[in-house]
């Protein structure tokens, strides 16, 4: 993909946070149409006629099927919607853990699977899956496995769809200043900068975008000795 101009894009979780920013920057880059999916479609800004608001709950098969039926011309999928719902791995509510996986893993995978043929056939196909720096490093929560699983699925989807000319991109980033981490007191990236990096990466033909320094550090983690990544282990009895 050399340019997002004139492309037809579906963005999930498009009503706020980074999703809203994707819509705005895609319009600035000359997208032909942006299907903006949200659990409550009335929360989508449709002041630009190229925006088509669609009700989309990525955990609801009927809702996903309706969006698939409504988007025959889509060639770019941005799997952005995500939640933090669980908590510490040993104590989190089991229903919340499953909801986190439904939203962050099964939902994006279902959309990618159902739209893959059309994205390939329509030409200039792209799928962007939004991972996290936490795909590669754990803080002990239930969220991290959802993003690790999505990262792995992205790698598989890339292999499956490369022969059909579809660019499958994984986005990794640390904290970003959105509602999701409003309660976290730590340095955060500007959502506009992260989205710009992601869209620049698509247009550059990249397979992976590391949108901040934290992500570059996290990417190194799986290759390091475990005690070098998790320094707190050194203080524990063997
Ligand atoms: N913020 C960070 O620090 C950070 C860091 C790394 C990665 N990420 C990832 O970046 C993506 C965007 O996050 P954000 O920071 O923009 O979060 P956000 O501001 O909390 O927005 C999350 C979006 O996802 C939507 N959503 C949640 N559950 C959904 C469902 N079942 N079906 C459809 N949409 C759903 C929300 O819709 P409602 O308005 O209906 O709730 C909202 O539009 C997520 O995948 C997140 O995991 C975020």
């Amino acid at each position: 993909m050399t340019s997002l101009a004139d492309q037809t894009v579906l963005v999930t979780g498009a009503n706020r946070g980074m999703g809203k920013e994707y819509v705005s920057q895609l319009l600035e880059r000359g997208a032909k149409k942006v299907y903006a999916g949200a659990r409550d479609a009335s929360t989508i800004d449709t002041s630009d006629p190229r925006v088509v608001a669609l009700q989309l709950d990525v955990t609801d098969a009927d809702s996903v099927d309706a969006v698939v039926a409504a988007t025959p011309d889509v060639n770019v999928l941005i799997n952005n919607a995500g939640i933090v719902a669980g908590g510490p791995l040993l104590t989190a509510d089991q229903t919340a853990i499953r909801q986190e996986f439904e939203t962050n893993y099964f939902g994006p995978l279902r959309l990618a699977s159902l739209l893959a043929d059309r994205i390939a056939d329509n030409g200039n196909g792209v799928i962007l899956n939004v991972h996290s720096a936490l795909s590669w490093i754990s803080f002990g929560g239930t969220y991290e496995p959802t993003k690790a699983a999505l990262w792995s699925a992205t790698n598989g989807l890339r292999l499956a769809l490369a022969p059909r000319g579809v660019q499958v991109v994984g986005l990794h980033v640390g904290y970003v200043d959105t509602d999701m981490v409003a309660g976290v007191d730590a340095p955060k990236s500007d959502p506009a900068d992260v989205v710009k990096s992601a869209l620049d990466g698509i247009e550059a033909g990249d397979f992976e975008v590391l949108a901040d320094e934290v992500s570059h550090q996290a990417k190194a983690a799986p290759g390091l000795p475990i005690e070098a990544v998790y320094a707190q282990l050194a203080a524990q009895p063997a």
Side-chain angles (χ1 to χ4, degrees):
M1 161 81 61
T2 53
S3 171
L4 284 155
D6 293 323
Q7 309 305 316
T8 298
V9 188
L10 168 60
V11 180
T12 71
N15 55 315
R16 63 190 173 92
M18 281 186 272
K20 187 176 181 181
E21 190 62 40
Y22 280 110
V23 176
S24 160
Q25 292 194 27
L26 285 162
L27 295 173
E28 284 169 18
R29 289 178 192 234
K32 181 160 65 184
K33 190 189 289 184
V34 181
Y35 291 113
R39 288 193 281 196
D40 178 354
S42 73
T43 58
I44 296 289
D45 177 358
T46 54
S47 52
D48 188 305
R50 294 173 293 166
V51 176
V52 179
L54 295 175
Q55 195 284 330
L56 174 59
D57 181 335
V58 300
T59 69
D60 178 339
D62 290 342
S63 173
V64 172
D65 288 350
V67 164
V68 170
T71 56
D73 50 351
V74 73
N75 67 303
V76 178
L77 167 64
I78 297 184
N79 264 324
N80 164 75
I83 56 169
V84 173
L89 274 162
L90 289 176
T91 55
D93 175 74
Q94 293 295 314
T95 302
I97 295 174
R98 287 177 186 278
Q99 185 66 14
E100 217 167 32
F101 251 100
E102 289 291 344
T103 309
N104 297 355
Y105 177 75
F106 292 110
L109 181 59
R110 181 176 177 81
L111 270 165
S113 302
L114 292 176
L115 292 173
D117 281 342
R118 154 180 329 173
I119 286 171
D121 293 347
N122 285 340
N124 285 326
V126 177
I127 297 173
L128 173 74
N129 285 341
V130 178
H131 309 150
S132 169
L134 297 177
S135 300
W136 291 316
I137 189 163
S138 176
F139 286 175
T142 59
Y143 172 83
E144 293 92 314
T146 69
K147 294 296 185 177
L150 184 59
W151 167 65
S152 182
T154 300
N155 290 332
L157 290 169
R158 186 179 299 120
L159 290 178
L161 292 171
R164 301 182 66 189
V166 177
Q167 178 191 355
V168 178
V169 188
L171 169 65
H172 297 260
V173 65
Y175 290 129
V176 186
D177 194 6
T178 67
D179 297 343
M180 179 172 279
V181 293
V184 175
D185 183 15
K188 300 172 191 173
S189 296
D190 184 329
D193 293 340
V194 175
V195 168
K196 179 180 184 307
S197 294
L199 299 185
D200 285 350
I202 289 175
E203 291 187 330
D206 295 340
F207 291 128
E208 187 169 82
V209 175
L210 307 183
D212 61 0
E213 183 52 33
V214 170
S215 296
H216 283 275
Q217 291 166 0
K219 173 140 190 170
L224 296 172
I226 205 82
E227 296 84 354
V229 179
Y230 301 102
Q232 58 271 48
L233 293 176
Q236 305 304 315

